[in-house]
Amino acid sequence: MQPVVEQVSAKTIAGMSLRTNNERESNPETASIPTMWKNFFEYNVMAAIPKQIDPLVVYGVYYNYESDSMGDYDLLIGLQTAAKEKPANLNLVEIKAGKYLVFKVLEASPVGIKDTWAGIEGYFEQVGEHERAYTTDFEIYQGKDDISIYIAIK
């Protein structure tokens, strides 16, 4: 897994969110992220997002980190928007401008995404060339087979 460094401009994402942590998500009995993804599409949350930039590109944004990968964080699933005010029953988050390490998901499936996240954790434990910023990280889905994960770095 060889990531590339990319400079990202700030983006506003509107969607549904939850607070969780990796310990909770690693247990199928307590994991809430899979249900949230299912609900995002099943309840057509995209239709409620105003001023969409590109309705074909879906974001999963990780933010409000309590500490590091072991602490609580928020996840928002949504679309990029030009709206400045919070839509009814939804939330807004700004992807912070800055440098990100980009990891390509090789297998576009829940297992492939989970494996990529495991590889990301291993990358930061072993390589040590970059340090995670724990500001905003995000998954970007540009079609069913084009998924990348962006990790904010210092």
Side-chain angles (χ1 to χ4, degrees), residues 3 12 14 18-19 26 31 38 73 80 85 90 95 109 116 153:
T12 301
L18 62 76
R19 186 129 182 105
S26 66
K38 177 178 169 277
Y73 55 84
Q80 186 176 0
E85 294 184 18
L90 297 176
I95 292 175
S109 70
T116 303
I153 54 176

Side-chain angles (χ1 to χ4, degrees), residues 20-38:
T20 190
N21 60 51
N22 288 342
E23 182 179 343
R24 194 173 309 132
E25 295 305 319
S26 66
N27 179 346
E29 299 288 318
T30 58
S32 52
I33 292 175
T35 301
M36 186 173 159
W37 276 103
K38 177 178 169 277

Side-chain angles (χ1 to χ4, degrees), residues 16 25 71 99 101 104 108 134 154:
M16 56 192 299
E25 295 305 319
K99 288 194 308 186
L101 270 182
K104 187 84 177 134
Y134 292 102
K154 293 181 179 179

Side-chain angles (χ1 to χ4, degrees), residues 86-152:
K86 183 174 110 41
N89 301 319
L90 297 176
N91 292 304
L92 289 176
V93 66
E94 182 181 303
I95 292 175
K96 306 287 186 219
K99 288 194 308 186
Y100 287 77
L101 270 182
V102 183
F103 296 82
K104 187 84 177 134
V105 176
L106 300 178
E107 179 193 329
S109 70
V111 170
I113 295 164
K114 187 176 180 178
D115 288 350
T116 303
W117 274 106
I120 290 167
E121 291 296 326
Y123 176 88
F124 284 100
E125 289 171 6
Q126 296 170 0
V127 177
E129 181 180 346
H130 301 281
E131 186 180 347
R132 283 186 72 177
Y134 292 102
T135 52
T136 51
D137 301 319
F138 61 97
E139 301 166 349
I140 184 168
Y141 298 80
Q142 302 179 86
K144 72 175 190 162
D145 295 326
D146 187 0
I147 305 168
S148 297
I149 300 174
Y150 287 65
I151 304 297

